[in-house]
Structure formats: structure tokens, C-alpha cells
Amino acid sequence: MSARWMRNSFIYLLIVVALIAVLFTVFQVPGSREIPISQVISMVASDDVDLIEIRGDRLTVFTNAGEALTSRKEEGSSLVEQLTNAGVDLVGKRLNLDVKGTSGLGNLFRIFVNFLPLIFFGAILLFMMRQAQGNTNQTFSFGRSRARMFVGNSPSVSFSDVAGVEEAKVELQEVVEFLKFPERFLTLGAKIPKGVLLMGPPGTGKTLLARAVAGEAGVPFFSISGSEFVEMFVGVGASRVRDLFDQAKRNSPCIVFVDEIDAVGRHRGAGLGGGHDEREQTLNQILVEMDGFDTSTNIIVVAATNRPDILDPALLRPGRFDRRVVLDNPDVRGRAEILDVHSKGKPLDEDVDLGKVAKLTTGFSGADLANLVNESAILAARRQRSTITSDDFAESVDRVIAGPERKSRVISERERELTAYHEAGHALVAHLLPHADPPYKVTIVARGQSGGHTRYLPEEDRRLWTKRQFEDMLAAALGGRVAEEVVFNETTTGASNDLEQATNIAKTMVTRYGMSVKLGPRTFGKREELIFLGKEIAEQRDYSDSVAETIDDEVHSIIDAAYKTAGKLITTHKNKLTQLSKYLIANETIEDEELKALFDSPAPPLADPVPAG
């Protein structure tokens, strides 16, 4: 970098000197006027000259009036000879002649001025050649890998920093053991998997786990994203793959981590470019590097994706990605461990129970939990506290789920009342149904796009759902709209999201889970995905029009039954609905033990009916 800067500085300096020389050559030095030699002879004849300085062929004439003039004599002859030939008698004249030696520096300057055009254009040519050489170097480096290598004996991330994925850590522990003690496996004839594919939803810790493997093993770790291979020029991606594995071989044993490998590892043959498709060229090179003829390299490829269903089958066969590690959203114990990891070094108040926070965060990923702890710390700092309290965690849960409070939103009393009865309807139906998740918090504080929300607290994490649980969930989702209709004898747009959720649940029950009495235990429709878009865009119908009509009837029947269930419960317990709604209007939020106490307390009778309309 320094040598290149010096070369460029020299070129710029040369150009500046050339420009200055041009200026001195073109423009005369101010304060002097050049006259012809004939005028000098006339002035000497008339005795108007006091002194003449002779410097080679250059003459500097000083007149009796004190004026300095310049001139040039004829080359090859002296000034005295030229004056004598012109008939000037120097005898009796007051003329003084001072002969100066010619300066070597002046000669060099004149030589430099003579060669100035050549030097100037040579400097420009050299500058252009340097620029072209730089562009050529960039062109040749276009196919080089952009992987970042991390090397260090002290790991920045270890397995102790990863929580909630114990099974995945056990699977990857073998990779670490092989990189540390390969002879233990080689003596038994065992071969370590060449590739480990980490699969799971976004935010479950795939990248963090790969960094932990490299940290535990203490070997070079090359990290690159799948999108960094692909360029618009065909062959660049394959060249970068070759360069990446060449670097890895020079630093083996090592780990190569490819994040979002689905960017280049999707099914081949689905594009329009045929064999010249850049993505397919890159994938082919990855396949060759992972399991080609060279099997002596000690390189382990770890890749991560949240779309394993679209990967090419050649990537998933034995010899390539031999081991597949699934990372799912953590359960309640895993969430508690993750919260504990991210809370290290943060001052927590004595009332903070991370186990309770873990129960409130059902469905949260590891990244969501890390964001939750960070939001809690930010809230505590904003409120000028020295520790993070349980209130900060509770507020952060609401912020992550529904967004920040919209305190500036102006809400009329009528709308507050409608929202209170709507949310109370959700909570009341969920509380009364045996298979629904019990309500934990009810609020009419506006957050995000919602005017209020009801949050449920499942008694346990579940992977399987029963038909009765779906039916009670549908009734609870429709409880808000039913409450509006029963109390106010009208409906609002506030239940639009509830209706969408209920429709999706009912349709899934019929078409995917076989929970329809009329249609029986079978599935309907196949989801189609466009490889380039990577998301569901259509559903292929594998059933007739009459079956489609039956599906619509069954979906309508399930929703209608849930609607009637919610209506019956709200009509029967209308006084409890009113009690909860009035509490929400007065206090805006009710949660946990306070909500349970309100449900267990006797509801006062209705004094006056709520006016309709």
C-alpha cells in the first residue's frame, strides 16, 4: 500500500513540475523587457547604457536611467566584435561589460524544457498503464473466494455460549473430537462425516453453533455466504468454490462454513439457462470438491439452511452432507437456558424469574430471546434504573410480540368500550373451555396494528394437537366477534385477523389433518413451490369439484360450530364479560394472578342493559 502510494505521488509530482516549467517557458519573468540586439547597439552608440551582463548568449542591459532590459546576441561571436563590426567606438564610452559564467543548472533547465513535452506525455502514459494494470489485477481477482478466515487459540464462541440445542451440540461434539484427536477414529477405521448440514427455522442458532464448533476445535474457520458465490458472469461461482477449497486445503485441518447454502444448492434442472446456468455451475463444483477423487483432505464443510426441502438430492447423499442436524425452536427448559446465557453480565433485579419468562415466550427462537433480553436492558436504561426488573421483561415480551405502545393514538370512549368487550370475549371463552390455552394477559393498549390483544399461556409445550384443542382454539378466536354481536348487536372490523386465523385453522383441519367427519382421514391438495422464488405460490388440486364443495362445507361447519359455542358461553356468562370489560376500561390491562382472581370472583348482576348501537 505504501509503495503504491509513493509511485502515484511521484507521478503526480512529475506532472506538477512539468506544468510549472511550461508556465515559466511561456510567460516571461515580470519586471524585464526583451529588446533586439540592434537596439542594444544603438543605445551603446548613444552612450545610454551603463552595464551589460553577458551570460552566454543572453544579455542583461542596465541603462543610465536604471531600467533593466534583456536581449540575445548572435551565437558564435562576442558582443565586442558585434559592436565593432557595427562601427561603434568603445573608446571613451562609459560602458561596463560583465561576463558571467554559464550555469550548469541553467543548461540542465534548458535541456529539461526542451524535453518537457516528451516527459509530460510519458508521465501521462505511465499513469494510464498503472491504472490499466490495477483494473487487470481486479479482473483476475474476480474469481477468488471472498471467504473470511478466523484463526485463534482462544475461542470467542464455545459450546457453553450455545443453549437450548443439546442434541445438536452432542452431534457436533464428534466433529470437534475428530479435529482434535483424529487418530482416535482412524485407528478404528472410522471416517468423520465430510459435511454437516444444520437445518432449522431462522434464529435457532445455526451460525452460532458453527462458530462454536470452530472455537472448540481451535482450527481455521472459513466463513462465506452462499450468495457470495453467484455472480452474473458464468463460471465465476465455480472459480470461487475452487479457490475456497484450495485455501482450505492449505490450512487443513479446518472448517468451511457456508451460510444459506440454499442460494446455490437448489434443485438443478429447474432454471431456464440449461447447462450454462451460473447457479448450477457453482453447485456442480461444490459437489466435486466435497466428494471427488481427492479424498485425503481433512476439511469438514458445515452448511446452514432454513429450506432443506429445496436442496438438490446430490448434496444430501452420503459422502457429501452425511450428517443432518435439526435445530428447532427451544422448549421451555431450553428457553430458560438461553435467557440465562444472554443475561450473563447484566444486572438483574431479585424479582426476575427467568423460568417464568421462559413460560411466557412460547414459540420464541433463540434470536427472539436474545432480542428480548436486549430490549429489557434498553427499557431499564430508558427508565433510569440500575437493574433490569420483571416489569421490563414483561414489557419487552409485549414489544417483541405486538410492537411498542402507541401512546399518541387518540381513541374515543366508544372505541375503547368496543375493544374492551372484544378482548374480554376472547379471554372469557378461553377461560371457560377446558382444552383451550388459559388467558394470561388482556389489554386494550394499542400496539402495532392492533387496538388490544389477549395473550395466552399454554400449560405445556406441545408438538401434537388434538381435534378438541383446535375446536376450543377456534371458539376462543371467535369470542371477540361474538362478544361484539351479543353486547352491541353489531360487528366491527376488529375481528378481521381473528376470522382469517379461524379460517386457516379450520381449512388445515380438513385438508391436512383429516379431522373431517364427511371426508375422512385423508389429505387434499399438494403445495407447489417455485424454485426461484422459494415460497408457496399455488396448490395443486388432486380432488374433484364436488370434493372441493364438500371441503368448503366442512370448513364452514367447523367455524359455525365454534361460533355457536362461543355465543352460548358469552350469553350465559354475560355478567362476567361485563365485569372484565369494565375493569379493562378503567385499568387498560389485567394479567396473571389478578386475572385469575377476577375470574374466580362472583360477577355482579347486570344493573342496566348495554344500549344497542
Side-chain angles (χ1 to χ4, degrees):
M1 180 68 182
S2 177
R4 182 179 179 184
W5 181 84
M6 290 292 294
R7 287 194 299 269
N8 292 338
S9 300
F10 174 74
I11 294 173
Y12 294 142
L13 180 62
L14 191 61
I15 293 174
V16 170
V17 171
L19 292 176
I20 294 175
V22 170
L23 292 177
F24 272 103
T25 304
V26 175
F27 300 101
Q28 295 183 3
V29 179
S32 64
R33 180 168 59 89
E34 187 170 358
I35 59 177
I37 187 65
S38 59
Q39 186 177 350
V40 174
I41 295 174
S42 300
M43 294 175 64
V44 172
S46 60
D47 206 9
D48 293 333
V49 178
D50 178 50
L51 173 66
I52 298 179
E53 289 184 357
I54 303 172
R55 193 184 300 273
D57 295 331
R58 299 287 299 179
L59 305 177
T60 304
V61 181
F62 297 94
T63 64
N64 295 329
E67 186 180 4
L69 304 173
T70 60
S71 182
R72 182 181 294 274
K73 70 179 182 64
E74 183 180 353
E75 295 182 4
S77 63
S78 65
L79 178 61
V80 176
E81 183 180 354
Q82 291 187 20
L83 291 174
T84 303
N85 293 336
V88 178
D89 188 6
L90 298 179
V91 178
K93 299 288 184 182
R94 295 179 299 175
L95 176 65
N96 297 314
L97 299 178
D98 186 6
V99 180
K100 302 285 185 180
T102 57
S103 173
L105 182 63
N107 292 333
L108 289 177
F109 183 77
R110 282 193 295 272
I111 294 174
F112 176 75
V113 171
N114 292 332
F115 284 96
L116 182 63
L118 182 61
I119 295 174
F120 181 74
F121 287 109
I124 295 178
L125 182 61
L126 180 61
F127 178 76
M128 294 175 63
M129 290 176 62
R130 295 295 304 174
Q131 292 295 109
Q133 184 178 2
N135 293 334
T136 303
N137 291 336
Q138 294 179 4
T139 302
F140 283 112
S141 65
F142 198 64
R144 293 181 181 176
S145 170
R146 299 180 181 179
R148 295 161 295 279
M149 185 175 71
F150 304 93
V151 181
N153 295 326
S154 57
S156 58
V157 179
S158 62
F159 280 148
S160 61
D161 300 315
V162 184
V165 285
E166 298 304 322
E167 294 81 3
K169 289 164 63 174
V170 171
E171 291 286 330
L172 293 174
Q173 185 66 38
E174 294 182 5
V175 175
V176 175
E177 293 293 330
F178 177 81
L179 292 173
K180 284 185 174 181
F181 314 106
E183 63 279 357
R184 182 185 305 173
F185 295 86
L186 296 178
T187 54
L188 297 175
K191 296 181 180 179
I192 197 68
K194 292 187 176 181
V196 179
L197 182 63
L198 306 178
M199 306 181 299
T204 51
K206 299 183 292 294
T207 304
L208 182 65
L209 193 57
R211 292 172 57 193
V213 172
E216 290 285 345
V219 297
F221 179 74
F222 292 88
S223 176
I224 192 171
S225 173
S227 60
E228 294 184 62
F229 290 117
V230 182
E231 294 284 352
M232 68 177 180
F233 301 109
V234 175
V236 173
S239 175
R240 290 179 178 174
V241 171
R242 287 191 294 269
D243 185 69
L244 170 62
F245 278 88
D246 286 341
Q247 295 182 43
K249 291 172 184 176
R250 291 194 296 268
N251 293 274
S252 63
C254 65
I255 294 175
V256 175
F257 175 61
V258 184
D259 199 7
E260 305 295 344
I261 194 174
D262 51 273
V264 293
R266 302 189 179 193
H267 284 284
R268 289 173 292 178
L272 300 177
H276 294 284
D277 181 53
E278 166 65 3
R279 183 184 54 78
E280 293 190 5
Q281 297 266 16
T282 307
L283 174 58
N284 291 337
Q285 189 63 43
I286 292 176
L287 297 176
V288 172
E289 294 290 347
M290 288 191 66
D291 189 21
F293 283 100
D294 188 6
T295 59
S296 60
T297 57
N298 195 6
I299 301 172
I300 296 178
V301 182
V302 180
T305 180
N306 52 22
R307 297 299 310 275
D309 53 309
I310 64 174
L311 293 180
D312 193 89
L315 270 177
L316 304 178
R317 74 157 176 83
R320 301 250 166 76
F321 285 105
D322 305 274
R323 183 165 298 185
R324 306 174 199 176
V325 179
V326 178
L327 286 80
D328 206 350
N329 288 331
D331 55 14
V332 61
R333 185 175 60 182
R335 292 195 297 273
E337 295 174 356
I338 294 174
L339 288 171
D340 184 65
V341 168
H342 292 293
S343 299
K344 289 180 179 178
K346 295 181 174 62
L348 301 183
D349 196 76
E350 295 179 355
D351 66 340
V352 174
D353 184 2
L354 295 181
K356 184 177 180 181
V357 177
K359 293 180 180 179
L360 296 175
T361 52
T362 302
F364 276 39
S365 65
D368 292 331
L369 295 171
N371 184 36
L372 171 66
V373 176
N374 185 59
E375 286 286 343
S376 303
I378 292 174
L379 283 175
R382 186 183 302 170
R383 296 168 178 175
Q384 298 183 352
R385 294 174 176 167
S386 58
T387 58
I388 305 174
T389 65
S390 58
D391 292 338
D392 297 325
F393 274 99
E395 172 66 18
S396 299
V397 172
D398 289 337
R399 290 173 67 90
V400 173
I401 293 177
E405 292 185 13
R406 300 175 61 183
K407 297 181 180 180
S408 60
R409 181 177 179 180
V410 179
I411 304 176
S412 64
E413 290 300 322
R414 180 64 172 174
E415 188 172 343
R416 280 172 55 87
E417 187 179 15
L418 282 166
T419 305
Y421 274 95
H422 182 98
E423 298 302 332
H426 286 307
L428 180 61
V429 174
H431 172 72
L432 296 173
L433 291 175
H435 301 287
D437 293 332
Y440 174 80
K441 181 176 182 178
V442 188
T443 179
I444 59 173
V445 177
R447 290 180 179 272
Q449 299 297 324
S450 64
H453 71 274
T454 301
R455 195 165 79 236
Y456 306 97
L457 181 62
E459 296 178 352
E460 58 183 2
D461 289 340
R462 60 173 68 95
R463 294 292 184 269
L464 298 176
W465 293 77
T466 65
K467 183 178 180 181
R468 291 183 179 180
Q469 287 174 336
F470 278 132
E471 292 172 347
D472 288 359
M473 184 192 302
L474 285 173
L478 297 173
R481 179 183 173 93
V482 173
E484 295 175 4
E485 188 173 352
V486 170
V487 176
F488 299 99
N489 197 25
E490 65 179 3
T491 56
T492 67
T493 59
S496 59
N497 187 56
D498 300 330
L499 296 176
E500 182 179 359
Q501 179 185 2
T503 302
N504 290 335
I505 293 175
K507 186 175 181 180
T508 304
M509 291 173 62
V510 174
T511 59
R512 294 187 60 187
Y513 299 139
M515 295 181 178
S516 168
V517 177
K518 293 183 179 179
L519 296 173
R522 60 161 292 191
T523 61
F524 300 91
K526 294 181 180 179
R527 291 177 296 173
E528 285 187 338
E529 296 177 352
L530 188 59
I531 297 298
F532 292 117
L533 294 181
K535 63 177 183 178
E536 181 181 349
I537 61 169
E539 182 180 74
Q540 179 183 355
R541 289 181 53 175
D542 56 357
Y543 48 86
S544 62
D545 293 339
S546 60
V547 174
E549 185 176 352
T550 306
I551 291 175
D552 292 338
D553 293 340
E554 284 291 273
V555 171
H556 175 75
S557 176
I558 293 174
I559 295 178
D560 186 61
Y563 198 87
K564 290 179 179 178
T565 300
K568 182 179 179 180
L569 292 174
I570 287 179
T571 302
T572 305
H573 301 85
K574 190 174 181 181
N575 54 346
K576 178 62 69 174
L577 176 72
T578 304
Q579 180 189 14
L580 179 57
S581 302
K582 289 182 177 180
Y583 186 94
L584 288 174
I585 294 173
N587 300 278
E588 291 189 338
T589 302
I590 181 173
E591 61 180 316
D592 201 13
E593 298 298 332
E594 192 177 7
L595 180 60
K596 293 180 181 178
L598 189 142
F599 278 131
D600 294 338
S601 65
L606 297 176
D608 297 318
V610 179

